[in-house]
Amino acid sequence: MAFEIFAQDYSKSSEIGYEFELKLPTGEGSGAFLTVIGDYSPTVKQYSKRKYQEFTQRQAIAKRKGKEEELSLEDAENLAIEAALVRLIGWRGFTEEGKEVKFSKDKAREVLTQHSWIRDQIQNESSDILNFPPKI
């Protein structure tokens, strides 16, 4: 058996997206579904690289000033929201006051700001490479 290099392109398959049912904190299904891209996708890798560069630049500036760059609790929360938001590409089954809520990045930011448990599920599903098998 040989390893077919280009057939195992998890970067490409991670960009396509994976849909999963959102689980309530109780463990039961919510009837709402989220679509996420994977951690190996070019979009997520580019985002991570940009955030790393921004952080190292802030560290270097702080060091020149004789200080240490610290991540505040608010900064950490905003980073978690942004990291989930970059991975979330769609949803279905969301309602508000009985009306369907169409997916938008602005509405998603509002939901992810309010519900950290949803962010956790987005991160977990996005990081599971088995959710993004290459199409052979």
Side-chain angles (χ1 to χ4, degrees):
M1 177 184 265
F3 176 75
E4 184 61 40
I5 297 170
F6 296 108
Q8 303 300 320
D9 191 348
Y10 283 91
S11 291
K12 187 176 182 181
S13 61
S14 291
E15 193 74 25
I16 294 169
Y18 168 75
E19 184 180 73
F20 67 95
E21 183 176 12
L22 179 65
K23 301 287 185 215
L24 298 172
T26 61
E28 63 185 295
S30 67
F33 295 83
L34 302 170
T35 304
V36 297
I37 57 176
D39 284 355
Y40 291 97
S41 75
T43 300
V44 173
K45 286 195 244 182
Q46 183 180 23
Y47 163 80
S48 298
K49 185 177 183 179
R50 187 177 75 246
K51 285 297 165 185
Y52 176 78
Q53 288 170 338
E54 288 173 8
F55 183 72
T56 55
Q57 285 175 344
R58 285 197 314 266
Q59 275 186 320
I61 291 168
K63 190 174 183 178
R64 284 195 297 268
K65 293 179 179 179
K67 299 179 181 178
E68 251 186 71
E69 174 67 19
E70 293 185 22
L71 193 62
S72 71
L73 189 55
E74 184 179 342
D75 288 341
E77 180 81 6
N78 288 334
L79 191 57
I81 292 165
E82 194 176 310
L85 190 59
V86 77
R87 289 165 171 81
L88 181 61
I89 61 171
W91 68 36
R92 63 184 174 90
F94 277 72
T95 59
E96 189 172 43
E97 297 178 4
K99 296 180 183 164
E100 180 185 358
V101 176
K102 296 228 183 273
F103 176 78
S104 73
K105 289 291 186 173
D106 289 336
K107 189 62 178 178
R109 181 180 298 281
E110 183 182 320
V111 170
L112 297 175
T113 298
Q114 187 173 359
H115 302 287
S116 60
W117 57 275
I118 297 176
R119 293 193 314 254
D120 293 344
Q121 287 181 56
I122 289 169
Q123 291 285 7
N124 288 338
E125 296 295 335
S126 182
S127 68
D128 187 348
I129 194 168
L130 296 178
N131 290 335
F132 306 94
K135 307 290 187 234
I136 299 175

